């Protein structure tokens, strides 16, 4: 009998088809995972779960007693209750590494577009407002030779620093759980405590994973510390900031602009005031979303899942204790 897999939200088609040859596969998208009866029924016999942003908590796991591995098609795993999975001996995996350059490209795209007001001016041209030469009110802000503050100097933070330092001659400040001498050397980066970074940077790029420690990391106080000319970029998760406080900071002119890939609620609610602000650029959580990288992420997530189901150690095991307990 084939093993059973529940796929949630995203797995690229070629990878899904391959899994379908080997396993019994059930695909779910845009459902309420707490209440959808079909989804809950399929959890009962599932050997593995794979997908994007599936909230895996105690309640879901109670419905899924046979699950051996939960494979995230993302590097972030704030959707997984790792302690609960570990307690139950269930492996959890993610897809680090292969998306690093793509996400860094996305962040530079958002940063540049926000500074140079690309979406706003694109809209202005397309709606036929370009009737005479532009005025000062259409000017943007230089990016090159400015100071970039990166909060969260993981792999992606480093790739952003590389682009900013070598490509745009930017000065790099960073804040991280631990200092990284090799980053300081490679990119001439300066380690700062959070407040200093917020006060000094022209561009602030938030890249931390969402954890209990980073939830609401930036709120009213932190936005007030930023320069009035600062541009804030969020490429982490919506809940790493207090979104209402960002809205207020923008409304009060405490910072100049924001470029956002992530939101407290996703999809973002159409009434969210951020969507009405000209100086805010929004994209729908596209950090890693290119054809090439999404396919690689799906392949890696499927590889993790297959190894886990074969009783082998997947390369991207998050809760290594589960493997140690099995040995
Ligand atoms: C991730 O992999 O965590 C990214 O946020 C997905 O875009």
């Amino acid at each position: 009998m084939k093993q059973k897999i529940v796929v949630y939200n995203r797995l690229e088609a070629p990878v899904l088809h391959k899994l379908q040859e080997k396993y019994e596969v059930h695909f779910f998208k845009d459902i309420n995972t707490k209440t959808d009866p079909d989804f809950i029924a399929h959890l009962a016999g599932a050997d593995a779960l794979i997908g994007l942003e599936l909230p895996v908590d105690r309640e879901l796991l109670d419905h899924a007693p046979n699950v051996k591995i939960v494979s995230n098609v993302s590097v972030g795993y704030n959707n997984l209750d790792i302690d609960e999975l570990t307690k139950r001996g269930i492996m959890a995996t993610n897809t680090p590494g292969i998306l690093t350059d793509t996400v860094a490209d996305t962040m530079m795209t958002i940063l540049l577009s926000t500074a140079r007001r690309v979406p706003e001016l694109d809209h202005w041209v397309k709606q036929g407002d370009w009737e005479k030469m532009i005025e000062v009110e259409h000017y943007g802000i230089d990016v090159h030779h400015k100071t970039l503050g990166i909060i969260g100097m993981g792999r992606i933070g480093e790739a952003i620093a590389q682009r900013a330092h070598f490509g745009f001659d930017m000065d790099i400040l960073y804040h991280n759980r631990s200092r990284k001498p090799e980053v300081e050397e490679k990119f001439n980066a300066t380690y700062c405590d959070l407040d200093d970074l917020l006060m000094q940077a022209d561009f602030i790029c938030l890249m931390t994973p969402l954890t209990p420690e980073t939830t609401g990391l930036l709120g009213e106080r932190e936005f007030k510390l930023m320069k009035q000319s600062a541009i804030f970029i969020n490429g982490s998760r919506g809940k790493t900031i207090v979104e209402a406080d960002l809205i207020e900071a923008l409304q009060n002119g405490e910072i100049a602009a924001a470029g956002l890939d992530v939101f407290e609620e996703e999809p973002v609610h159409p009434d969210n005031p951020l969507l009405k602000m000209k100086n805010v650029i929004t994209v729908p959580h596209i950090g890693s979303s290119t054809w090439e990288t999404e396919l690689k992420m799906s392949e890696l997530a499927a590889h993790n899942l297959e190894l886990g189901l074969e009783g082998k150690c997947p390369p991207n095991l998050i809760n290594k204790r589960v493997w140690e307990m099995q040995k």
Side-chain angles (χ1 to χ4, degrees):
M1 211 171 63
K2 281 181 172 178
Q3 286 174 301
K4 183 163 151 178
I5 292 174
V6 169
V7 182
Y8 182 68
N9 263 347
R10 193 181 299 160
L11 196 66
E12 297 308 312
V15 178
L16 184 66
H17 295 152
K18 257 200 183 149
L19 289 186
Q20 279 165 336
E21 285 167 15
K22 193 163 165 190
Y23 304 104
E24 179 188 328
V25 176
H26 299 271
F27 185 83
F28 293 88
K29 192 171 164 58
D30 300 327
I31 51 148
N32 184 333
T33 58
K34 297 266 182 229
T35 55
D36 187 282
D38 198 27
F39 174 74
I40 292 170
H42 278 300
L43 286 179
D47 294 284
L49 312 176
I50 183 167
L52 182 68
E53 299 281 348
L54 172 63
V56 176
D57 56 11
R58 189 180 305 168
E59 191 186 333
L60 182 141
L61 292 173
D62 283 345
H63 292 300
N66 298 324
V67 162
K68 292 148 198 80
I69 177 162
V70 179
S71 173
N72 254 13
V73 190
S74 63
V75 65
Y77 52 86
N78 49 285
N79 58 310
L80 307 178
D81 184 337
I82 295 293
D83 287 346
E84 192 58 36
L85 284 160
T86 307
K87 217 188 304 168
R88 295 176 191 228
I90 300 170
M91 291 186 258
T93 59
N94 65 342
T95 59
I98 45 178
L99 78 179
T100 301
D101 284 319
T102 299
V103 179
D105 285 354
T106 306
M107 292 311 130
M108 289 310 290
T109 306
I110 296 174
L111 189 153
L112 287 160
S113 312
T114 311
R116 300 304 302 272
R117 303 163 58 189
V118 173
E120 180 196 342
L121 296 175
D122 168 72
H123 181 68
W124 185 77
V125 173
K126 286 181 182 161
Q127 69 180 11
D129 287 340
W130 191 17
E131 288 163 348
K132 50 188 170 68
M133 282 299 123
I134 61 156
E135 309 279 352
V136 286
E137 74 218 43
H138 300 110
Y139 292 174
I141 292 170
D142 271 338
V143 170
H144 63 86
H145 295 96
K146 293 283 181 68
T147 298
L148 172 64
I150 301 174
I151 305 170
M153 192 50 94
R155 269 185 272 226
I156 299 172
E158 279 192 43
I160 295 169
Q162 184 195 34
R163 283 155 177 74
H165 175 66
F166 293 114
F168 295 88
D169 289 310
M170 297 181 90
D171 290 330
I172 309 294
L173 308 178
Y174 77 102
H175 180 74
N176 197 47
R177 267 180 312 185
S178 54
R179 274 185 78 153
K180 294 197 149 177
E182 72 288 358
V183 166
E184 292 174 25
E185 191 167 328
K186 266 198 281 188
F187 311 124
N188 197 21
T190 306
Y191 179 82
C192 287
D193 74 26
L194 185 59
D195 286 3
D196 284 340
L197 181 148
L198 298 174
M199 287 188 284
Q200 290 175 42
D202 300 305
F203 296 88
I204 291 153
C205 190
L206 181 57
M207 297 308 301
T208 53
L210 179 65
T211 64
E213 293 76 40
T214 62
T215 300
L217 182 68
L218 302 186
E220 185 185 352
R221 178 184 162 279
E222 288 73 26
F223 290 116
K224 281 196 195 318
L225 286 178
M226 295 179 191
K227 292 182 184 178
Q228 259 191 313
S229 56
I231 292 184
F232 170 66
I233 309 295
N234 195 359
S236 58
R237 288 290 184 268
K239 291 196 168 92
T240 50
I241 67 162
V242 181
E243 200 169 87
D245 293 347
L246 171 65
I247 292 169
E248 217 168 295
L250 287 159
Q251 280 167 342
N252 298 341
E254 287 163 18
I255 62 170
L260 307 171
D261 186 33
V262 291
F263 299 85
E264 212 166 84
E265 184 189 345
E266 293 182 9
V268 66
H269 195 280
D271 291 338
N272 189 318
L274 291 167
L275 307 193
K276 310 279 180 300
M277 296 181 186
K278 272 190 177 175
N279 54 345
V280 174
I281 287 192
T282 59
V283 281
H285 202 149
I286 57 161
S288 58
S289 298
T290 60
W291 287 101
E292 299 91 332
T293 296
E294 287 291 354
L295 182 60
K296 282 190 213 151
M297 288 166 71
S298 284
E299 285 169 349
L300 182 56
H303 181 60
N304 282 327
L305 175 142
E306 287 186 82
L307 288 186
L309 285 182
E310 286 166 14
K312 298 177 185 152
C313 184
N316 308 112
L317 186 61
I318 299 162
N319 50 354
K320 304 225 171 358
R321 206 148 65 80
V322 171
W323 183 250
E324 285 155 17
M325 281 168 356
Q326 280 178 15
K327 278 198 293 184

